[in-house]
Amino acid sequence: MESSPDAGVTRRAVSPAESRRASRRWWDGDADAYQEEHGSFLGDADFVWCPEGLREADAHLLGEVRGRRVLEIGCGAASCSRWLKTQGAEVVASDLSAGMLRHAQNGATRSGVPVPLLQADASALPFAEGVFDIVCTAFGAIPFVADSSRVMREVYRVLRPGGRWAFSITHPMRWVFLDDPGEGGLVAVHSYFDRRAYVEEDEQHVPTYVEQHRTLGDRIRELVAAGFVLNDLIEPEWPPGHDKEWGQWSPMRGRVFPGTAIFIATKPTKS
Protein backbone atom coordinates (compact mmCIF):
# COMPACT_ATOMS: atom_id res chain seq x y z
CA MET A 1 0.00 0.00 0.00
CA GLU A 2 1.43 3.38 -0.99
CA SER A 3 1.63 6.10 1.64
CA SER A 4 0.89 9.76 1.12
CA PRO A 5 3.70 12.27 1.83
CA ASP A 6 2.15 13.07 5.20
CA ALA A 7 1.44 9.47 6.17
CA GLY A 8 3.86 7.66 8.42
CA VAL A 9 4.88 4.84 10.71
CA THR A 10 4.96 5.09 14.48
CA ARG A 11 4.80 3.11 17.71
CA ARG A 12 1.86 4.04 19.90
CA ALA A 13 -1.13 2.71 21.76
CA VAL A 14 -4.33 2.14 19.77
CA SER A 15 -7.82 1.34 20.98
CA PRO A 16 -9.49 -2.00 20.21
CA ALA A 17 -11.88 -0.20 17.84
CA GLU A 18 -9.02 1.51 15.96
CA SER A 19 -7.15 -1.75 15.68
CA ARG A 20 -10.22 -3.63 14.44
CA ARG A 21 -11.07 -1.01 11.80
CA ALA A 22 -7.47 -0.88 10.58
CA SER A 23 -7.19 -4.68 10.32
CA ARG A 24 -10.45 -5.06 8.42
CA ARG A 25 -9.54 -2.28 6.00
CA TRP A 26 -5.96 -3.49 5.51
CA TRP A 27 -6.74 -7.16 4.93
CA ASP A 28 -9.68 -6.38 2.68
CA GLY A 29 -7.40 -4.18 0.56
CA ASP A 30 -4.33 -6.43 0.70
CA ALA A 31 -6.02 -9.81 0.27
CA ASP A 32 -5.28 -10.17 -3.45
CA ALA A 33 -1.62 -9.18 -3.13
CA TYR A 34 -1.10 -11.38 -0.08
CA GLN A 35 -2.58 -14.43 -1.75
CA GLU A 36 -0.61 -13.83 -4.94
CA GLU A 37 2.63 -13.66 -2.97
CA HIS A 38 2.07 -16.43 -0.42
CA GLY A 39 -0.74 -18.61 -1.77
CA SER A 40 1.50 -21.18 -3.44
CA PHE A 41 3.55 -21.64 -0.25
CA LEU A 42 0.43 -22.06 1.91
CA GLY A 43 -1.39 -24.32 -0.57
CA ASP A 44 -5.10 -24.75 -1.12
CA ALA A 45 -5.55 -27.51 1.47
CA ASP A 46 -2.49 -27.60 3.70
CA PHE A 47 -1.77 -26.59 7.31
CA VAL A 48 1.46 -24.60 7.42
CA TRP A 49 2.15 -23.17 10.87
CA CYS A 50 4.81 -20.62 9.94
CA PRO A 51 7.27 -19.29 7.33
CA GLU A 52 9.73 -21.94 8.52
CA GLY A 53 7.44 -24.40 6.75
CA LEU A 54 6.40 -26.51 9.77
CA ARG A 55 3.33 -28.51 8.74
CA GLU A 56 0.67 -29.93 10.99
CA ALA A 57 0.88 -33.18 9.02
CA ASP A 58 4.39 -33.60 10.44
CA ALA A 59 4.16 -31.83 13.80
CA HIS A 60 0.75 -33.11 15.05
CA LEU A 61 0.42 -30.15 17.40
CA LEU A 62 -3.36 -30.43 17.44
CA GLY A 63 -3.40 -34.10 18.32
CA GLU A 64 -6.09 -36.32 16.83
CA VAL A 65 -8.43 -34.23 14.67
CA ARG A 66 -10.65 -36.90 13.10
CA GLY A 67 -14.17 -36.48 14.40
CA ARG A 68 -13.24 -33.34 16.35
CA ARG A 69 -15.07 -30.00 16.10
CA VAL A 70 -12.49 -27.36 15.15
CA LEU A 71 -12.66 -23.57 14.90
CA GLU A 72 -9.98 -21.71 12.99
CA ILE A 73 -9.87 -17.99 13.81
CA GLY A 74 -8.06 -15.51 11.58
CA CYS A 75 -8.25 -18.16 8.87
CA GLY A 76 -7.25 -15.97 5.91
CA ALA A 77 -7.81 -18.09 2.81
CA ALA A 78 -8.66 -21.06 5.08
CA SER A 79 -6.11 -23.53 3.68
CA CYS A 80 -5.59 -24.90 7.21
CA SER A 81 -9.30 -25.51 7.68
CA ARG A 82 -9.57 -27.32 4.37
CA TRP A 83 -6.63 -29.57 5.30
CA LEU A 84 -8.30 -30.32 8.64
CA LYS A 85 -11.47 -31.32 6.82
CA THR A 86 -9.50 -33.74 4.64
CA GLN A 87 -8.31 -35.35 7.88
CA GLY A 88 -11.86 -35.94 9.07
CA ALA A 89 -12.42 -32.89 11.29
CA GLU A 90 -15.64 -30.90 11.42
CA VAL A 91 -14.37 -27.36 10.80
CA VAL A 92 -15.58 -23.76 10.87
CA ALA A 93 -13.24 -21.09 9.44
CA SER A 94 -13.62 -17.48 10.60
CA ASP A 95 -11.92 -14.20 9.74
CA LEU A 96 -12.56 -10.48 10.24
CA SER A 97 -11.83 -9.70 6.58
CA ALA A 98 -14.36 -10.24 3.82
CA GLY A 99 -11.50 -9.94 1.32
CA MET A 100 -9.67 -12.89 2.82
CA LEU A 101 -12.88 -14.92 3.05
CA ARG A 102 -13.39 -14.31 -0.67
CA HIS A 103 -10.07 -16.07 -1.23
CA ALA A 104 -11.20 -18.80 1.14
CA GLN A 105 -14.20 -19.39 -1.11
CA ASN A 106 -11.96 -19.40 -4.18
CA GLY A 107 -9.71 -21.96 -2.52
CA ALA A 108 -12.69 -24.17 -1.77
CA THR A 109 -13.71 -24.04 -5.43
CA ARG A 110 -10.20 -24.92 -6.65
CA SER A 111 -9.63 -27.73 -4.16
CA GLY A 112 -13.14 -29.13 -4.03
CA VAL A 113 -12.96 -29.00 -0.21
CA PRO A 114 -15.58 -26.55 1.09
CA VAL A 115 -15.78 -25.54 4.75
CA PRO A 116 -18.26 -23.21 6.47
CA LEU A 117 -16.95 -19.64 6.40
CA LEU A 118 -17.84 -16.98 8.96
CA GLN A 119 -16.97 -13.29 9.13
CA ALA A 120 -16.39 -12.67 12.82
CA ASP A 121 -14.26 -10.77 15.30
CA ALA A 122 -12.08 -13.13 17.35
CA SER A 123 -12.81 -10.92 20.37
CA ALA A 124 -16.53 -11.72 20.19
CA LEU A 125 -17.03 -15.23 18.85
CA PRO A 126 -20.68 -15.96 17.97
CA PHE A 127 -20.78 -19.43 19.52
CA ALA A 128 -22.14 -20.98 22.68
CA GLU A 129 -19.90 -22.22 25.48
CA GLY A 130 -18.04 -25.50 25.09
CA VAL A 131 -18.91 -26.30 21.47
CA PHE A 132 -15.40 -26.93 20.04
CA ASP A 133 -12.74 -29.53 20.74
CA ILE A 134 -9.93 -27.49 19.15
CA VAL A 135 -9.39 -23.81 18.34
CA CYS A 136 -6.38 -22.84 16.26
CA THR A 137 -4.81 -20.11 14.18
CA ALA A 138 -1.58 -19.81 12.20
CA PHE A 139 -0.55 -16.15 12.45
CA GLY A 140 -4.18 -15.04 12.49
CA ALA A 141 -6.03 -12.66 14.82
CA ILE A 142 -3.68 -12.60 17.83
CA PRO A 143 -1.00 -10.22 16.47
CA PHE A 144 -3.60 -7.75 15.23
CA VAL A 145 -5.92 -7.48 18.25
CA ALA A 146 -5.37 -4.72 20.82
CA ASP A 147 -6.98 -6.72 23.65
CA SER A 148 -5.61 -10.20 22.97
CA SER A 149 -6.39 -11.29 26.52
CA ARG A 150 -10.06 -10.99 25.57
CA VAL A 151 -9.46 -13.35 22.62
CA MET A 152 -7.92 -15.86 25.04
CA ARG A 153 -11.04 -15.67 27.21
CA GLU A 154 -13.33 -16.09 24.21
CA VAL A 155 -11.40 -19.14 23.01
CA TYR A 156 -11.56 -20.60 26.51
CA ARG A 157 -15.31 -20.01 26.58
CA VAL A 158 -16.08 -21.82 23.30
CA LEU A 159 -13.80 -24.79 24.05
CA ARG A 160 -15.10 -27.84 25.85
CA PRO A 161 -13.24 -28.98 28.99
CA GLY A 162 -10.11 -30.78 27.83
CA GLY A 163 -10.11 -28.85 24.54
CA ARG A 164 -6.95 -27.59 22.90
CA TRP A 165 -5.93 -24.06 21.86
CA ALA A 166 -2.96 -23.67 19.51
CA PHE A 167 -1.71 -20.49 17.88
CA SER A 168 1.42 -19.28 16.12
CA ILE A 169 2.73 -15.71 16.12
CA THR A 170 5.85 -13.81 15.20
CA HIS A 171 8.37 -14.68 17.91
CA PRO A 172 8.31 -11.74 20.35
CA MET A 173 12.10 -11.34 20.28
CA ARG A 174 11.82 -10.43 16.58
CA TRP A 175 10.49 -7.05 17.68
CA VAL A 176 14.00 -6.19 18.83
CA PHE A 177 15.19 -6.20 15.21
CA LEU A 178 14.35 -4.41 11.99
CA ASP A 179 12.10 -6.18 9.47
CA ASP A 180 15.08 -6.94 7.24
CA PRO A 181 15.80 -10.47 5.99
CA GLY A 182 19.45 -9.53 5.40
CA GLU A 183 22.35 -8.53 7.64
CA GLY A 184 20.54 -5.36 8.74
CA GLY A 185 18.02 -7.59 10.48
CA LEU A 186 20.69 -9.10 12.74
CA VAL A 187 21.27 -5.92 14.75
CA ALA A 188 19.16 -5.21 17.84
CA VAL A 189 17.66 -1.71 17.64
CA HIS A 190 14.42 -1.76 19.68
CA SER A 191 13.57 -2.54 23.29
CA TYR A 192 11.97 -5.94 23.77
CA PHE A 193 9.90 -4.35 26.54
CA ASP A 194 8.37 -1.61 24.36
CA ARG A 195 4.82 -2.88 24.07
CA ARG A 196 3.48 -0.04 21.96
CA ALA A 197 1.86 -1.20 18.73
CA TYR A 198 3.50 -0.84 15.34
CA VAL A 199 1.17 1.55 13.51
CA GLU A 200 1.03 2.70 9.91
CA GLU A 201 -1.25 5.72 9.63
CA ASP A 202 -2.59 8.08 6.98
CA GLU A 203 -2.15 11.85 6.81
CA GLN A 204 -5.00 12.30 9.33
CA HIS A 205 -3.15 9.95 11.72
CA VAL A 206 -5.84 7.30 11.32
CA PRO A 207 -4.29 3.83 11.67
CA THR A 208 -4.28 1.84 8.42
CA TYR A 209 -2.25 -1.15 9.68
CA VAL A 210 -1.69 -2.20 13.29
CA GLU A 211 0.36 -5.03 14.73
CA GLN A 212 0.70 -5.69 18.43
CA HIS A 213 3.75 -6.73 20.46
CA ARG A 214 3.66 -8.72 23.67
CA THR A 215 6.57 -10.50 25.38
CA LEU A 216 6.65 -14.27 25.85
CA GLY A 217 5.77 -13.72 29.49
CA ASP A 218 2.80 -11.53 28.53
CA ARG A 219 1.42 -14.27 26.28
CA ILE A 220 1.81 -16.91 28.97
CA ARG A 221 0.11 -14.68 31.54
CA GLU A 222 -2.79 -14.06 29.12
CA LEU A 223 -3.27 -17.81 28.73
CA VAL A 224 -3.06 -18.53 32.46
CA ALA A 225 -5.38 -15.63 33.34
CA ALA A 226 -7.98 -17.02 30.93
CA GLY A 227 -7.80 -20.39 32.71
CA PHE A 228 -5.59 -22.37 30.33
CA VAL A 229 -2.77 -24.75 31.14
CA LEU A 230 0.25 -24.18 28.88
CA ASN A 231 1.39 -27.51 27.46
CA ASP A 232 4.18 -26.43 25.14
CA LEU A 233 5.95 -23.49 23.53
CA ILE A 234 7.53 -24.39 20.22
CA GLU A 235 10.18 -22.31 18.45
CA PRO A 236 10.64 -23.92 15.01
CA GLU A 237 14.19 -24.03 13.70
CA TRP A 238 14.95 -23.07 10.13
CA PRO A 239 15.04 -26.36 8.20
CA PRO A 240 17.96 -27.34 5.96
CA GLY A 241 17.29 -26.72 2.27
CA HIS A 242 14.52 -24.17 2.89
CA ASP A 243 15.61 -21.09 0.93
CA LYS A 244 12.33 -19.18 0.60
CA GLU A 245 12.17 -15.74 2.18
CA TRP A 246 8.91 -14.44 3.63
CA GLY A 247 9.09 -10.77 4.57
CA GLN A 248 11.59 -10.63 7.42
CA TRP A 249 11.98 -14.43 7.56
CA SER A 250 15.07 -15.73 5.78
CA PRO A 251 17.62 -18.54 6.02
CA MET A 252 20.22 -16.03 7.27
CA ARG A 253 18.13 -14.93 10.23
CA GLY A 254 16.57 -18.32 10.81
CA ARG A 255 19.95 -19.88 11.50
CA VAL A 256 20.58 -17.35 14.31
CA PHE A 257 17.30 -16.87 16.21
CA PRO A 258 13.66 -18.00 16.06
CA GLY A 259 11.09 -16.24 13.93
CA THR A 260 7.98 -18.02 15.20
CA ALA A 261 6.49 -19.02 18.55
CA ILE A 262 3.71 -21.62 18.71
CA PHE A 263 1.72 -21.92 21.94
CA ILE A 264 -0.17 -25.10 22.82
CA ALA A 265 -2.63 -24.87 25.72
CA THR A 266 -5.46 -26.91 27.19
CA LYS A 267 -8.70 -26.00 28.93
CA PRO A 268 -8.66 -28.05 32.13
CA THR A 269 -11.19 -30.83 32.60
CA LYS A 270 -13.69 -29.92 35.28
CA SER A 271 -13.61 -32.13 38.32
Side-chain angles (χ1 to χ4, degrees):
M1 180 177 293
E2 295 183 359
S3 299
S4 74
D6 297 320
V9 175
T10 187
R11 296 285 296 275
R12 66 176 176 87
V14 295
S15 71
E18 285 180 305
S19 186
R20 183 167 51 251
R21 285 193 297 268
S23 289
R24 179 177 289 152
R25 176 183 173 189
W26 174 268
W27 290 109
D28 281 352
D30 193 60
D32 292 351
Y34 181 89
Q35 198 63 18
E36 182 177 354
E37 182 176 2
H38 301 300
S40 61
F41 179 78
L42 296 173
D44 275 336
D46 197 2
F47 198 133
V48 182
W49 276 107
C50 53
E52 289 86 352
L54 182 67
R55 283 172 161 75
E56 177 60 17
D58 302 316
H60 307 292
L61 303 184
L62 301 182
E64 177 58 57
V65 299
R66 183 170 299 279
R68 303 294 196 271
R69 294 201 69 197
V70 183
L71 171 64
E72 183 185 7
I73 62 174
C75 70
S79 58
C80 297
S81 285
R82 288 190 293 276
W83 181 84
L84 287 165
K85 183 174 180 179
T86 69
Q87 305 305 300
E90 181 183 345
V91 191
V92 176
S94 69
D95 200 282
L96 183 66
S97 166
M100 294 306 295
L101 290 173
R102 174 169 50 82
H103 281 281
Q105 185 59 58
N106 293 342
T109 300
R110 285 192 304 271
S111 65
V113 185
V115 296
L117 302 175
L118 174 70
Q119 186 173 14
D121 182 351
S123 300
L125 296 171
F127 299 103
E129 295 182 8
V131 295
F132 291 102
D133 302 297
I134 299 168
V135 180
C136 60
T137 184
F139 279 80
I142 302 300
F144 308 104
V145 176
D147 186 2
S148 50
S149 60
R150 181 174 175 179
V151 177
M152 303 295 177
R153 294 193 299 272
E154 275 293 272
V155 171
Y156 185 92
R157 182 182 64 80
V158 302
L159 275 172
R160 65 166 178 78
R164 185 171 300 193
W165 166 220
F167 64 94
S168 61
I169 57 172
T170 300
H171 198 290
M173 74 168 291
R174 281 289 177 104
W175 283 72
V176 176
F177 305 93
L178 297 176
D179 281 354
D180 182 346
E183 292 184 358
L186 299 178
V187 181
V189 295
H190 300 297
S191 169
Y192 176 73
F193 302 104
D194 183 356
R195 294 167 173 84
R196 293 176 300 168
Y198 168 87
V199 181
E200 296 179 11
E201 54 187 20
D202 63 20
E203 58 274 15
Q204 283 80 42
H205 303 294
V206 175
T208 58
Y209 177 88
V210 177
E211 193 165 343
Q212 304 285 342
H213 169 54
R214 302 289 183 270
T215 67
L216 283 173
D218 292 337
R219 293 297 183 206
I220 292 169
R221 282 185 287 275
E222 287 179 346
L223 285 165
V224 172
F228 285 104
V229 173
L230 179 65
N231 302 115
D232 204 352
L233 170 58
I234 297 144
E235 300 162 299
E237 297 185 37
W238 196 269
H242 179 28
D243 59 0
K244 181 177 175 59
E245 292 186 0
W246 178 315
Q248 58 162 298
W249 280 263
S250 67
M252 175 185 292
R253 300 182 88 198
R255 286 191 293 267
V256 180
F257 48 77
T260 298
I262 307 175
F263 295 79
I264 311 296
T266 302
K267 180 174 181 176
T269 302
K270 295 179 181 179
S271 56

